[in-house]
Amino acid sequence: MPFVSIRISGSATKDQKAGIVADVTQSLVQRLGKNPAAVQIVIEEVSTENYGAGGQLLVDRDAPKTAPNTPAQEDAHAEPSR
């Protein structure tokens, strides 16, 4: 009996997970001749705070980047600095 374990970073919708289960099951039926009723699949969602790659957490790597303030971004109505 095939047992498939899938880990994804972040989360997926119920419909997305159902599609993954259907696709993987069908692949094992077609490629290995397995009985679809015997295919077991577990999907584990790993928080991006609990997963690192390239030396940093995914939550930090994928966070929006903020640019430092430049003169053009400063308050246009502020008094010029002396």
Side-chain angles (χ1 to χ4, degrees):
M1 141 177 31
F3 181 88
V4 179
S5 178
I6 299 170
R7 281 190 229 160
I8 60 174
S9 65
S11 62
T13 67
K14 181 182 174 194
D15 286 342
Q16 289 171 324
K17 290 183 273 192
I20 290 168
V21 168
D23 292 347
V24 170
T25 299
Q26 188 59 32
S27 180
L28 291 170
V29 168
Q30 288 177 341
R31 299 196 180 277
L32 300 178
K34 298 298 180 179
N35 178 348
V39 176
Q40 298 183 36
I41 300 168
V42 172
I43 299 174
E44 180 182 1
E45 296 175 321
V46 179
S47 165
T48 56
E49 290 183 7
N50 296 326
Y51 178 36
Q56 66 184 132
L57 293 173
L58 263 60
V59 69
D60 295 334
R61 183 193 75 184
D62 297 342
K65 306 290 188 251
T66 57
N69 282 343
T70 61
Q73 293 174 320
E74 292 177 1
D75 186 357
H77 300 289
E79 292 287 322
S81 57
R82 297 175 198 227

